Amino acid sequence: MPHSVRRSLATTRTLLTGGVLSALLAAAPNLAAQATGVVTGSVTRSEDGDALRGVTVAVRGTNLRTVTTTTGQYTIGRVPAGVQTVEFRWLGYGPVDQTVTVEAGQTVTANARLTRTPIALGELTVEAPSRAPERVVEAPAAVAVIPRPTLRAAAVTGQPGIALQQVPGLDVVQSGVNDFNVNARGLNSSLNRRVLVLQDGRDLSIAFLGAQEWNGLSVPLDDFDRVEVVRGPGSALYGANAFSGVVNMVTPAARQILGTKVSLGGGELSSFRADLRHAGLIGEGQVGYRINAGFYQSDTFTRSRTGLGDWRDEYAEAADGAPLPDSLATPELVPLSGQTSSPGVSASGDPDDLRNIYGSARFDYYANDGSVFSIDGGATRVENEVFVTGIGRVQVQKGTKPWVRAAWAADRFNLSAWYTGRNTNEDQVSLASGAPLLETSAIFHFEGQTNRSFLEDRARVVVGASFRNYKVDTEGTLMDLRDDDRSDNSYSAYGQVEFKVIPELKAVAALRFDDADLHDSEYSPKAALVYSPTPDHSIRVTFNQAFQVPNYSEFFLRAAAGPPADFAALEAGLRASALGPALAGVPSGELFAGAPGGSSSAVPVLALGNADLGVEEVTGWEIGYKGSIGDRVYVSVDLFQSKITNFVTDLLPGVNPTYGAWTAPAAVPAPFDSLLEDAVRSQLLAANQLTAAFGLTRVDGATAIVVSYANAGEVKQRGFELGFGVQLVDELRFDGSYTFFDTNFFREQIKGLAAGDVLEPNTPKHKSNLALAYSGLEGVDAELSLRLVDGYEWAAGIFQGTVPSSETVNLSAGYRINNYIRVHGTVTNLFDQERYHLFGGSVIGRRVLGGITATF
């Protein structure tokens, strides 16, 4: 892009962003004192009069809300004087509203008795699809809400992916104890970043890769207020990382969880977990605070692969008959931390434990006008987790992820600013090459948003703008020094308009503009029609366009993809052939020298980025249905079809035109150049060395084997997602889902792919979930779930092979001894069916964990 155009765009986007933010600030209500009072009371169960804890109590039309304590009590301060409606909501119980008159400086009591009822779909409210509250039935997207019992059951495992597995259409791939890969609607990869993951509006991805480290959460799962999952392109409101969906995780305000909670748990793999949380109010209830801290430690499923047969031995039974390629015999150079080994010899000793130390603190200021100003921050230190990447497995020996967030939220506006960092305290190590990998990075983000209703609530508009800065420094270990130590900016503005054409029909249109230092301007439109013939049924049609910007690795990566290759035997064979006289001018042992003075026995194998990559784009159409049938059955059905252009491959040999085919040294007479080059490739192909055959090239004049990225043309995909739930009786619920997915790569349009290159969607064609949950009045709860995943092919970077089908059974149960103490247990992979869930990942076995939680 010409500099003058870039400068003009920069000026325009600065004015646009600044203007929108200024308008938002001007629209924010001031904090002038208003006459207020206090609403207090208790909530009990109508069946037996027992106190109900965790019930959400809110004052309608305000941001004032809390939850009941272990004794069923609640208090809401600073409620505006006048007639107010107090709402009592808890899934599994019928909603109750109480009207009270609040007098300035006085306390009024509002008690409620809730009756157990089947969960009504129409009672669920979500925010992620439109960045504003709306009933889930009317949301213009495929969306699911993770039930709180599911979050609570998964908390002791420390594995967020366990809680997400039952969502229709969501791919949850586990590659270690705490390493998960969460994706929606296909085209998975070793480090997926097609689904945006937010915690209270803060992007949890790391700057260099754009992917999430799921072991980096600084808040335990059972402390989240809600988790929403939106499937389908979401760039119209969220930008690049929402290419295939959004996971929106929200933590409660301090006043919603007053008191102290202590949790202890442990079990198989020598696992131990401890969590502490405390929340309270000060300043006559105008300031709330919440602090939490936790520690986690366990053994690992991950095993070293330094011996010649280690990898094959590890996968032999877990493959369940699936073919294992010969490349599995290639050993890694470095064992896991805590173990020792010699080249080609299996590691000895025990690997170091996985360990996480985390904590956070939050302070809320509750203004008299109902708005809330929050500031929170925290950090997580992770140790010894192993991640699967395109260049092989990488072990993070010790890393820290600090973060800070400030937000001002009201009914009509939200302003926020946040920072997320990642610091390598001890070297990350590439197990394949032994190379140290460093990263010091930070993301700074500023955003403002406002929403307004008009035409007597028939229409609503949401408008926002944001600025983001990325800072990345790998000290030359992951990027060339010429590209390293970077600071790059991005800018955006977005808006969505909703209009009820008739009471039963809502039209939605949205548009987002993004511009950045690393890519040209992008426009992301969305349009939807939602028809709701009754409050509990809706049919929608949605059109979306989204985009995905290559990450820093895809643009600028420079790292060893494995140990140097030994071409000494190949050179000796060529010298002994008819081509021998033509090689007389090349010093012996240097035909394939990787550098001046190098030798053919040490040809570097490099993973290199492609600075010319274009933005990947997707256009999608969806049709969906959500509805409750009677008061005991709900169903959601979604069909989608999408087309992806400029698809970015994983690391492959020969696709990046910057690195052409290997050429003969200058000392070889010109008439023999092509004969030598053809002979080299033929010999490598005959030895089934496809990566070397297609990736052998020259980098800065020296011989190297290169794998890189490319825009690979067009991909079409389609799918079907079914979710359902049946309340069999008041205490027993049955839920299930089924997902079908199919992809076509249009290879005739894919440029640069060699015969040995493999493109796969890395997604099973069929998968389903079944779950049976019990929740009784006696304080007992339990859930049994079955996850069925079809076998499929996997190709991502150096890892290519078949992932076997799996049938995983999980079981969780709990018993509330009284209002203060609950004991619980969780078993993942109950029958210990050992499987690897992505090719190159660890074999996952069973974990049996138990714990106790005290709340007071």
Side-chain angles (χ1 to χ4, degrees):
M1 179 180 293
H3 177 69
S4 60
V5 176
R6 171 66 66 182
R7 182 173 57 188
S8 176
L9 276 173
T11 302
T12 301
R13 66 195 180 192
T14 301
L15 291 172
L16 175 62
T17 305
V20 173
L21 291 176
S22 298
L24 292 170
L25 286 168
N30 69 50
L31 304 180
Q34 298 176 0
T36 64
V38 175
V39 178
T40 187
S42 63
V43 182
T44 56
R45 188 162 45 203
S46 61
E47 289 86 351
D48 52 18
D50 284 354
L52 283 177
R53 64 182 301 274
V55 178
T56 299
V57 186
V59 179
R60 182 178 297 170
T62 74
N63 279 333
L64 301 172
R65 65 179 56 234
T66 187
V67 296
T68 55
T69 66
T70 53
T71 59
Q73 305 294 313
Y74 76 92
T75 299
I76 303 178
R78 320 194 73 78
V79 180
V83 177
Q84 303 288 355
T85 300
V86 182
E87 303 173 333
F88 301 86
R89 301 288 187 270
W90 198 25
L91 286 180
Y93 288 80
V96 171
D97 294 339
Q98 298 276 13
T99 300
V100 296
T101 300
V102 179
E103 297 183 4
Q106 302 298 312
T107 298
V108 63
T109 300
N111 298 323
R113 293 173 64 87
L114 303 188
T115 302
R116 289 172 63 91
T117 61
I119 296 175
L121 187 65
E123 295 299 321
L124 293 176
T125 300
V126 292
E127 293 190 10
S130 299
R131 303 193 71 159
E134 61 189 341
R135 295 171 62 242
V136 68
V137 175
E138 297 177 350
V143 58
V145 179
I146 308 298
R148 286 186 186 176
T150 302
L151 296 173
R152 184 177 61 187
V156 69
T157 69
Q159 300 170 319
I162 297 294
L164 297 170
Q165 286 180 340
Q166 295 184 27
V167 175
L170 209 61
D171 295 318
V172 180
V173 176
Q174 185 176 0
S175 58
V177 169
N178 298 313
D179 181 24
F180 285 84
N181 192 335
V182 177
N183 188 37
R185 298 185 174 177
L187 299 183
N188 213 340
S189 61
S190 301
L191 290 168
N192 181 70
R193 61 194 183 89
R194 295 178 182 275
V195 172
L196 175 67
V197 181
L198 302 173
Q199 178 183 322
D200 296 325
R202 179 174 61 89
D203 188 348
L204 297 185
S205 64
I206 57 178
F208 181 72
L209 293 171
Q212 295 77 34
E213 290 179 306
W214 288 96
N215 64 338
L217 292 178
S218 55
V219 176
L221 284 175
D222 53 345
D223 274 359
F224 284 103
D225 184 45
R226 68 181 186 276
V227 176
E228 304 167 359
V229 181
V230 179
R231 305 183 305 280
S235 292
L237 292 180
Y238 289 99
N241 267 19
F243 189 86
S244 297
V246 178
V247 175
N248 183 45
M249 304 188 295
V250 180
T251 62
R255 64 186 174 191
Q256 294 179 244
I257 49 171
L258 298 177
T260 302
K261 186 193 76 172
V262 179
S263 294
L264 297 173
E268 281 191 321
L269 292 182
S270 301
S271 300
F272 174 75
R273 186 180 188 94
D275 285 291
L276 169 67
R277 185 201 72 207
H278 177 72
L281 295 172
I282 56 178
E284 297 183 349
Q286 194 153 21
V287 176
Y289 65 91
R290 183 193 76 201
I291 57 174
N292 78 278
F295 173 82
Y296 169 84
Q297 180 172 304
S298 82
D299 193 1
T300 177
F301 288 126
T302 305
R303 298 291 176 257
S304 291
R305 299 169 179 169
T306 54
L308 292 175
D310 285 354
W311 201 346
R312 184 171 292 278
D313 291 344
E314 180 184 350
Y315 270 29
E317 292 187 11
D320 193 34
L324 296 178
D326 293 338
S327 60
L328 278 177
T330 303
E332 295 174 335
L333 288 185
V334 179
L336 299 178
S337 178
Q339 295 187 297
T340 58
S341 73
S342 301
V345 178
S346 297
S348 59
D350 294 325
D352 290 340
D353 286 340
L354 306 176
R355 187 177 294 111
N356 290 8
I357 302 172
Y358 50 90
S360 67
R362 171 170 172 167
F363 294 89
D364 298 323
Y365 175 79
Y366 308 114
N368 291 337
D369 63 3
S371 64
V372 180
F373 178 79
S374 302
I375 183 166
D376 53 348
T380 302
R381 191 178 78 181
V382 298
E383 299 180 18
N384 300 320
E385 186 61 85
V386 174
F387 299 94
V388 179
T389 75
I391 62 173
R393 301 192 303 172
V394 173
Q395 183 166 34
V396 179
Q397 297 188 95
K398 187 178 292 185
T400 304
K401 294 189 66 177
W403 62 275
V404 176
R405 182 188 71 101
W408 186 14
D411 283 341
R412 301 298 186 186
F413 73 92
N414 287 279
L415 301 174
S416 65
W418 52 262
Y419 147 82
T420 294
R422 189 180 192 274
N423 305 310
T424 305
N425 304 113
E426 294 181 10
D427 289 352
Q428 301 175 139
V429 178
S430 169
L431 300 181
S433 68
L437 307 174
L438 305 176
E439 179 186 348
T440 301
S441 61
I443 305 175
F444 300 89
H445 184 92
F446 305 88
E447 185 161 357
Q449 174 197 319
T450 184
N451 67 86
R452 289 288 185 273
S453 296
F454 51 95
L455 296 179
E456 298 179 344
D457 290 334
R458 287 183 61 193
R460 179 174 66 178
V461 61
V462 177
V463 179
S466 67
F467 164 79
R468 184 176 294 193
N469 171 258
Y470 293 89
K471 296 185 182 298
V472 179
D473 184 7
T474 72
E475 300 182 31
T477 63
L478 285 165
M479 295 192 288
D480 191 287
L481 289 173
R482 293 169 294 186
D483 299 315
D484 215 338
D485 195 13
R486 305 183 60 87
S487 178
D488 299 290
N489 297 327
S490 65
Y491 313 80
S492 72
Y494 58 88
Q496 176 168 298
V497 178
E498 302 175 7
F499 179 70
K500 287 192 174 182
V501 182
I502 57 176
E504 298 81 13
L505 181 63
K506 178 173 70 173
V508 180
L511 179 67
R512 182 179 174 109
F513 166 82
D514 286 270
D515 191 29
D517 295 340
L518 291 176
H519 68 85
D520 291 335
S521 302
E522 286 286 333
Y523 293 89
S524 304
K526 177 177 80 172
L529 289 173
V530 182
Y531 176 65
S532 304
T534 71
D536 292 328
H537 297 268
S538 71
I539 299 171
R540 68 175 176 87
V541 178
T542 307
F543 166 81
N544 279 295
Q545 285 187 345
F547 71 102
Q548 181 72 71
V549 179
N551 60 24
Y552 282 98
S553 173
E554 291 165 337
F555 272 136
F556 306 117
L557 177 66
R558 187 182 181 95
D566 187 351
F567 279 15
L570 176 59
E571 179 179 346
L574 291 168
R575 289 185 182 276
S577 72
L579 289 170
L583 304 180
V586 180
S588 179
E590 296 184 17
L591 177 61
F592 301 103
S599 72
S600 296
S601 60
V603 178
V605 181
L606 302 176
L608 302 178
N610 183 351
D612 296 324
L613 285 175
V615 171
E616 190 173 336
E617 297 177 332
V618 60
T619 300
W621 289 90
E622 300 178 31
I623 182 169
Y625 163 79
K626 306 185 192 82
S628 295
I629 302 172
D631 60 355
R632 291 187 176 271
V633 178
Y634 83 85
V635 177
S636 68
V637 180
D638 295 282
L639 295 91
F640 66 90
Q641 180 171 310
S642 58
K643 180 176 73 173
I644 297 175
T645 55
N646 272 344
F647 171 69
V648 177
T649 70
D650 278 298
L651 290 166
L652 291 172
V655 296
N656 187 343
T658 303
Y659 308 104
W662 181 80
T663 55
V668 175
F672 294 92
D673 284 353
S674 60
L675 294 175
L676 175 63
E677 293 158 6
D678 291 343
V680 168
R681 173 168 287 200
S682 296
Q683 291 292 321
L684 293 172
L685 288 173
N688 202 32
Q689 300 294 318
L690 300 182
T691 299
F694 296 109
L696 192 66
T697 184
R698 291 190 177 275
V699 179
D700 298 327
T703 299
I705 298 172
V706 169
V707 290
S708 187
Y709 305 95
N711 290 115
E714 183 178 297
V715 181
K716 287 188 177 181
Q717 52 188 19
R718 58 194 175 97
F720 169 80
E721 300 163 348
L722 167 68
F724 62 89
V726 181
Q727 196 78 35
L728 301 174
V729 294
D730 287 349
E731 296 82 10
L732 194 63
R733 183 175 182 83
F734 178 65
D735 291 275
S737 68
Y738 167 74
T739 303
F740 167 81
F741 175 82
D742 192 25
T743 294
N744 289 317
F745 290 95
F746 286 78
R747 295 180 180 272
E748 67 274 10
Q749 300 183 30
I750 296 176
K751 301 176 182 178
L753 289 183
D757 295 336
V758 178
L759 291 178
E760 298 288 353
N762 297 335
T763 304
K765 182 165 287 190
H766 307 277
K767 58 179 177 284
S768 60
N769 297 281
L770 301 172
L772 190 64
Y774 173 82
S775 179
L777 298 179
E778 303 82 8
V780 176
D781 61 86
E783 181 174 304
L784 180 69
S785 65
L786 170 64
R787 180 171 174 81
L788 305 170
V789 179
D790 204 6
Y792 59 102
E793 297 301 314
W794 181 276
I798 69 171
F799 298 112
Q800 297 181 13
T802 302
V803 177
S805 61
S806 60
E807 302 83 32
T808 306
V809 177
N810 296 335
L811 173 66
S812 64
Y815 174 62
R816 181 166 296 284
I817 298 174
N818 53 40
N819 277 335
Y820 304 95
I821 299 176
R822 179 177 181 267
V823 293
H824 49 89
T826 296
V827 185
T828 58
N829 197 358
L830 177 65
F831 297 110
D832 200 19
Q833 184 191 59
E834 296 190 340
R835 291 286 187 271
Y836 48 91
H837 299 163
L838 79 164
F839 202 83
S842 302
V843 175
I844 307 301
R846 181 183 57 207
R847 290 183 82 196
V848 180
L849 302 168
I852 183 170
T853 299
T855 307
F856 47 90

